[in-house]
Amino acid sequence: MGAQGEKKFELMGIPPEKLGRQFEQIGERKFRAKQLMKWIYAHGNFDFSTMTDIPVSLRQYLAENASITLPEIAEVAGSSDGSTKFLFRLQDGAYVESVYIPDKERGRHTVCLSSQVGCKFGCIFCATGKLGFRRNLTSTEIVGQLYLVREHIRVGGNDLTNVVFMGMGEPLDNLDAVLDAIRVMVADVGFGLGHRKILISTVGIPEGIRKIMQTDVRPKLAISLNAPDDELRSKLMPINKKYPIRTLIELVPEYAKYSRRWVTFEYVLFGGVNDSLEHAHKLVQLIAGLPAKVNLIPYNEVEGIEFRRPDDRDVLRFQSYLLANSIVATIRYSKGRDIHGACGQLAGRFVLKEK
Ligand code: SAH
Ligand code: SF4
């Protein structure tokens, strides 16, 4: 133990560069960071005394002063469709959720992560938005979710392939921690994922998108559009009054070039609200010619929120219209509906439960 009240040297979820600098500050060599990360992420070994390539004196120092913190798994719920929801309890008693989504056909094993406890953006259809905002997660807490879900994936004989920031919270409102977490995910000595295997979904914060483009990380970007004009979007997503659609659209070509991938527009379909052919037509007008595709998400109904899931026929009609007008459009039938694990349904019953 360190001296009373002294802050522990945290190792979980700290990117290699930063950890290297922290080692230098305590008079150690920078490369120790990578050695330690290998023990933690590749070998799953948290016992300093057995880290044989680290000098004994440093091992002792770490045993006394460092921690490798993981959240506590409070609940695991399996869905009939193969996805699994994890409820994590953080050190201060707050709860967040992650979802593991296997896709056998495409050989994908995706983890959907949370970036905040609650969310301050208040989109009127969203369960997380209804909770309000409690706090940002640290990169330690973000990576901790991934670490634990990856263990579960491995027990099933599979490998983690993709990460999406589509759980609770707005990743661009906690960008520094999200970027650090991504740096751990893409590091060889971390999770070894490709940058484009990681996707950030945002409510649409132009300065956050610009800020990513000034960094060393190149995740894919999904913008939650959900409406083809400002009038409707402002009703659904109050942030649109501050950052109208045009301010997002104009960043799309630049970001697509930066990430070398098309940007995705997420469009949640709400029955009778934004799912008519007229809306589809407006959407085509808005995004034709952009390096972007559309991901249609039939709304997952949330208790206490009025919106309803659209009819399947209307969903297909909407998609067909986009396709017929040369817009690449897929439908995402969310997994985990029976465990309230689908995107935007997270955060339900436990999150504000007390310490
Ligand atoms: N804050 C970010 C990421 C979390 S929400 C964002 O808004 O993009 C991830 C996606 O889930 C968003 O596209 C959001 O529009 C969508 N979503 C929210 N509630 C939903 C629900 N009940 N059913 C389906 N999608 C929902
Ligand atoms: Fe927050 Fe995203 Fe939900 Fe909007 S949709 S309230 S930004 S989590």
Side-chain angles (χ1 to χ4, degrees):
M1 286 283 167
Q4 273 261 304
E6 204 176 278
K7 210 166 176 261
K8 283 265 185 180
F9 191 146
E10 179 59 56
L11 301 175
M12 176 57 65
I14 313 297
E17 275 297 309
K18 203 177 213 175
L19 200 55
R21 283 198 301 276
Q22 290 176 356
F23 273 102
E24 284 178 334
Q25 279 163 11
I26 59 164
E28 292 289 339
R29 305 283 297 281
K30 212 172 158 175
F31 70 91
R32 297 291 175 210
K34 291 195 173 169
Q35 287 179 310
L36 266 160
M37 288 180 72
K38 240 183 176 163
W39 283 112
I40 296 170
Y41 301 105
H43 304 298
N45 182 1
F46 290 14
D47 176 1
F48 298 113
S49 69
T50 61
M51 298 182 179
T52 43
D53 55 357
I54 310 268
V56 175
S57 58
L58 179 56
R59 285 190 233 164
Q60 276 166 355
Y61 173 86
L62 292 170
E64 283 168 19
N65 297 289
S67 35
I68 307 174
T69 310
L70 288 173
E72 196 184 300
I73 302 178
E75 197 180 282
V76 181
S79 162
S80 54
D81 64 23
S83 62
T84 307
K85 183 175 75 168
F86 295 78
L87 176 71
F88 293 112
R89 187 176 192 274
L90 307 173
Q91 280 193 314
D92 66 346
Y95 290 86
V96 290
E97 295 175 321
S98 309
V99 188
Y100 161 48
I101 308 149
D103 181 343
K104 288 214 177 81
E105 279 155 39
R106 292 191 288 179
R108 276 198 205 161
H109 299 273
T110 302
V111 180
C112 172
L113 296 177
S114 294
S115 55
Q116 298 180 316
V117 184
C119 181
K120 62 178 79 144
F121 289 88
C123 304
I124 63 172
F125 51 83
C126 174
T128 312
K130 253 191 118 178
L131 287 174
F133 179 69
R134 180 142 155 194
R135 70 170 173 89
N136 279 330
L137 297 188
T138 61
S139 67
T140 299
E141 291 166 331
I142 296 170
V143 174
Q145 298 169 58
L146 185 63
Y147 188 94
L148 290 169
V149 181
R150 187 184 65 164
E151 278 191 340
H152 170 90
I153 297 175
R154 285 185 162 174
V155 168
N158 295 301
D159 270 331
L160 164 75
T161 62
N162 294 72
V163 172
V164 296
F165 283 91
M166 283 190 191
M168 296 166 58
E170 168 51 42
L172 297 194
D173 188 42
N174 183 19
L175 189 54
D176 289 340
V178 166
L179 291 174
D180 271 357
I182 293 176
R183 290 181 181 113
V184 176
M185 294 171 197
V186 299
D188 286 344
V189 287
F191 291 79
L193 290 173
H195 289 242
R196 293 169 203 93
K197 300 288 176 182
I198 297 167
L199 178 132
I200 291 184
S201 170
T202 178
V203 71
I205 304 175
E207 60 230 39
I209 298 173
R210 280 200 198 92
K211 205 167 153 197
I212 303 176
M213 291 193 276
Q214 286 154 14
T215 69
D216 51 324
V217 303
R218 295 172 189 270
K220 292 203 291 182
L221 183 70
I223 298 173
S224 298
L225 189 63
N226 299 342
D229 61 59
D230 282 322
E231 195 189 341
L232 180 57
R233 191 166 190 270
S234 294
K235 280 187 197 148
L236 299 168
M237 307 171 74
I239 189 67
N240 191 68
K241 291 180 204 127
K242 186 164 178 197
Y243 304 123
I245 294 175
R246 154 183 63 75
T247 65
L248 303 170
I249 296 276
E250 65 191 21
L251 285 173
V252 166
E254 211 180 321
Y255 197 89
K257 203 166 160 202
Y258 174 75
S259 65
R260 299 197 208 102
R261 286 292 183 279
W262 280 19
V263 170
T264 300
F265 285 114
E266 291 166 286
Y267 193 101
V268 179
L269 286 161
F270 307 101
V273 174
N274 65 352
D275 61 346
S276 73
L277 281 184
E278 203 184 319
H279 292 110
H281 174 72
K282 277 191 181 173
L283 182 58
V284 171
Q285 306 281 39
L286 186 68
I287 66 170
L290 286 174
K293 57 192 173 189
V294 174
N295 197 350
L296 299 168
I297 312 169
Y299 182 61
N300 294 301
E301 290 180 13
V302 176
E303 227 180 275
I305 299 182
E306 291 289 288
F307 292 96
R308 67 172 178 82
R309 195 180 174 81
D311 296 334
D312 285 346
R313 268 189 23 227
D314 293 342
V315 174
L316 288 173
R317 186 183 62 170
F318 200 97
Q319 182 194 28
S320 303
Y321 187 90
L322 297 183
L323 293 175
N325 286 279
S326 307
I327 303 282
V328 178
T330 51
I331 302 175
R332 184 170 80 221
Y333 291 102
S334 297
K335 301 273 179 111
R337 283 165 65 198
D338 56 344
I339 49 168
H340 300 282
C343 275
Q345 276 188 319
L346 296 182
R349 300 154 293 164
F350 296 98
V351 180
L352 293 183
K353 219 161 98 178
E354 223 3 52
K355 305 192 178 196

